[in-house]
Amino acid sequence: RRKGNMAFTLIELLVVISIITILMSILLPSLSKARETAKRLSCLSNLKQIGAAQFVYVDSYDGGFTPGFYNYGVNYAYPSILKESGITDSKSNIFLCPSESSRTWDTTLQCFTGHYGLNFNIAGPLKLNAGEPYRDFTNYGYLQKLSQLKNPSKLVLACDVISSIGFWYDAGSATFLAKTYPNTRHSSGGKTWNYLFADGHCETIRSFEALIQEPQTYFYRK
C-alpha cells in the first residue's frame, strides 16, 4: 500500500460491519428491556400519584375513595371526579400509562380509558335518596370507607386495565368481567401487572392469580 493511502480494504470493511452487527445484536435486547423497565417504573409513579390524589379526596369528602363512576345528571369517571373536586386534571399524564399506545379520550366520561382502572368493589356505585346520589357504606357490601378496610396494604385500589376505567368481581354471578381484566402490557417473558394498593403503596406483580378474586375478598393479595 502506498504511503498515506488510508482506505479500508473490502475485507477490513466486512470485519467492521460484522463487529457492529454482533454488538447491535447484543445491545438492542438490553436497550429494549431497559426502555420497558423505565416505562414500568414511570407507570408505578403514575399510580403512586393517583393514590395520593385519592387520599386527598378521602380526607376532603366522606372518608371513601372517589366513586368509580357517577351517572346522575352527568357522566363522570373517577379521573373527572378528581378534576371536579379540584384535586387533579383528568387530562394529566398520570392517567396515561407510558406502555399503552392508545390515547382514547371518552367524551362522555371525560377521561382516558384503557389505562388505569379503579377497584369498583370498594370505590363503586352510588345510590339515590330522595333523588340525591349518596354512598351507602353501611348496607352496600361492595362499598367501604378507608377506615373500614381491615388490611389496606393487601387490597388493590387501582391497576393497569384493558379498555375500561375500572375492574370488579360480580359476586352475584361469581364472574370477573373479561373486559376489565388487568392488562399485561408490562410483560417481559411473563405476565406482569402494576398495582396501587389501598394504603397508597405500589407494586409490580408477575401473576394476577396471586390476588384473590372471590366474594367478600375483592382483590386482596394472599
Side-chain angles (χ1 to χ4, degrees), residues 44 47 156 158-160 167 182 193-197 201-205 207-208 211:
L44 282 174
L47 284 169
V156 178
C159 67
D160 298 300
F167 61 99
W193 292 268
N194 280 341
Y195 290 98
L196 164 67
F197 287 83
H201 88 277
C202 297
E203 290 185 35
T204 296
I205 300 178
S207 174
F208 187 69
L211 303 173

Side-chain angles (χ1 to χ4, degrees), residues 149-163:
L149 301 178
K150 295 180 179 179
N151 198 342
S153 66
K154 292 187 177 182
L155 177 62
V156 178
L157 174 60
C159 67
D160 298 300
V161 293
I162 304 170
S163 68

Side-chain angles (χ1 to χ4, degrees), residues 3-71:
K3 185 176 181 181
N5 185 355
M6 301 299 294
F8 284 105
T9 65
L10 178 59
I11 293 177
E12 289 172 332
L13 185 60
L14 290 174
V15 169
V16 170
I17 292 173
S18 298
I19 292 173
I20 292 173
T21 301
I22 292 171
L23 289 174
M24 288 181 64
S25 67
I26 294 173
L27 293 176
L28 283 179
S30 298
L31 291 174
S32 177
K33 185 176 180 181
R35 183 166 56 248
E36 181 50 44
T37 297
K39 288 181 178 180
R40 179 176 57 80
L41 293 176
S42 178
C43 173
L44 282 174
S45 176
N46 286 349
L47 284 169
K48 187 74 174 178
Q49 293 179 74
I50 291 172
Q54 287 286 350
F55 280 105
V56 172
Y57 187 92
V58 168
D59 291 337
S60 302
Y61 289 88
D62 55 9
F65 298 109
T66 60
F69 176 74
Y70 180 100
N71 64 346

Side-chain angles (χ1 to χ4, degrees), residues 41-182:
L41 293 176
S42 178
C43 173
L44 282 174
S45 176
N46 286 349
L47 284 169
K48 187 74 174 178
Q49 293 179 74
I50 291 172
Q54 287 286 350
F55 280 105
V56 172
Y57 187 92
V58 168
D59 291 337
S60 302
Y61 289 88
D62 55 9
F65 298 109
T66 60
F69 176 74
Y70 180 100
N71 64 346
Y72 295 98
V74 292
N75 293 321
Y76 287 134
Y78 77 92
S80 45
I81 294 172
L82 288 171
K83 178 182 178 180
E84 292 300 313
S85 303
I87 298 173
T88 187
D89 189 345
S90 58
K91 291 185 177 181
S92 169
N93 285 336
I94 68 170
F95 297 108
L96 293 171
C97 176
S99 292
E100 174 55 60
S101 59
S102 170
R103 292 293 184 267
T104 303
W105 177 261
D106 191 306
T107 55
T108 300
L109 298 175
Q110 293 296 302
C111 72
F112 293 102
T113 58
H115 289 263
Y116 302 116
L118 206 62
N119 183 352
F120 283 10
N121 289 124
I122 61 170
L126 306 179
K127 289 187 176 183
L128 285 178
N129 181 23
E132 292 296 322
Y134 77 105
R135 292 195 282 181
D136 188 346
F137 292 105
T138 303
N139 301 309
Y140 196 63
Y142 287 140
L143 201 58
Q144 297 179 352
K145 291 186 178 181
L146 177 60
S147 60
Q148 294 174 320
L149 301 178
K150 295 180 179 179
N151 198 342
S153 66
K154 292 187 177 182
L155 177 62
V156 178
L157 174 60
C159 67
D160 298 300
V161 293
I162 304 170
S163 68
S164 185
I165 56 168
F167 61 99
W168 61 91
Y169 187 95
D170 186 346
S173 61
T175 301
F176 183 66
L177 300 184
K179 177 183 176 183
T180 67
Y181 202 89

